[in-house]
Amino acid sequence: PAKLMATLVVRVPSGSKIGDHTRFIGLEWVSDPDAHVARLVSTDGADHVIFDRNWFHPPDGMEMNKGIGMIKDNGFIALINSYLSGFQCVSRTGTCTDSSAVGGGNGEVTVSTLKIYNNFLEAAGENILFGGVESETNPTDIEIRRNHLFKPLIWREGEPGYTARNPPIVKNLFELKSGIRVLFEANLLENCWGGFTQTGFAILLTPK
């Protein structure tokens, strides 16, 4: 099938910064292969933003830490009906050590009122991760419903189709290190394995 989506090419290493009161519909987000982008989109400092039927992915299987970073000082952010694929960090020879499709919730200003609904989310590290570093606040009021959290088996050594010299660093599907009032309901979690720095759980709750 033909790809009919308009494409936004991110060239800033820290990701594209999003303004307030914006709805992105039917866009493809990808980075410039020569820009060494760590995160496609940052919602830091923004509020009332909706990503609807968007496709986020690194270029040509390259490494990337995160698709959408909801790190600090943002609220009323929605990711709905979208497709995030290919986020990974390669073991031993890679340039990063952890990857996730979406997450954040760190810093001094609260991240609150987040909606992650009806998306395909593919990442090697954690498909969704909130918390994980020193922070003065907890992410608050997060709705995560009817998503497909997936890791392809071609990222696992010994599986049919595996061709990488070094495998991606795989950890967990959904990891919550901090959060207040989180609804995690009716999600499909598929494929997870250990062998790196963690056991590899479908759901990992570690208050920190």
Side-chain angles (χ1 to χ4, degrees):
K3 182 181 73 67
L4 303 178
M5 307 173 78
T7 302
L8 292 175
V9 180
V10 178
R11 294 184 170 87
V12 180
S14 58
S16 178
K17 294 279 286 185
I18 303 302
D20 295 342
H21 297 86
T22 309
R23 184 171 188 141
F24 299 95
I25 303 176
L27 297 177
E28 176 188 14
W29 300 74
V30 67
S31 67
D32 183 336
D34 298 322
H36 304 291
V37 171
R39 179 191 311 145
L40 278 180
V41 177
S42 171
T43 63
D44 290 2
D47 66 82
H48 291 82
V49 176
I50 301 173
F51 301 97
D52 183 3
R53 288 162 285 174
N54 286 225
W55 178 26
F56 302 83
H57 65 98
D60 302 322
M62 293 180 64
E63 289 183 295
M64 186 175 290
N65 293 82
K66 194 180 295 294
I68 301 177
M70 304 172 181
I71 309 298
K72 58 184 179 181
D73 188 20
N74 50 217
F76 298 96
I77 310 294
L79 173 66
I80 60 175
N81 311 317
S82 293
Y83 196 96
L84 288 77
S85 59
F87 295 96
Q88 59 173 306
C89 294
V90 176
S91 61
R92 292 185 284 275
T93 59
T95 59
C96 58
T97 58
D98 200 8
S99 58
S100 58
V102 61
N106 309 315
E108 296 75 42
V109 184
T110 302
V111 172
S112 66
T113 319
L114 310 177
K115 183 185 186 79
I116 303 171
Y117 179 84
N118 194 40
N119 305 286
F120 178 85
L121 304 171
E122 180 184 87
E126 303 89 8
N127 300 56
I128 299 176
L129 170 66
F130 282 97
V133 300
E134 290 187 6
S135 176
E136 296 182 12
T137 64
N138 289 303
T140 304
D141 295 312
I142 305 172
E143 174 189 350
I144 304 171
R145 294 195 302 124
R146 296 190 174 276
N147 301 282
H148 186 181
L149 283 62
F150 178 77
K151 300 183 192 298
L153 290 177
I154 58 171
W155 286 351
R156 185 176 184 177
E157 289 183 285
E159 295 287 347
Y162 175 85
T163 58
R165 186 163 66 92
N166 290 315
I169 299 172
V170 172
K171 294 183 179 179
N172 310 294
L173 285 162
F174 172 57
E175 183 169 349
L176 191 66
K177 291 181 182 287
S178 63
I180 299 173
R181 294 189 297 274
V182 179
L183 173 63
F184 188 80
E185 178 185 74
N187 299 285
L188 172 62
L189 287 73
E190 185 175 4
N191 298 340
C192 197
W193 57 93
F196 297 95
T197 59
Q198 297 188 25
T199 302
F201 292 105
I203 298 175
L204 181 63
L205 306 178
T206 55
K208 186 180 177 79

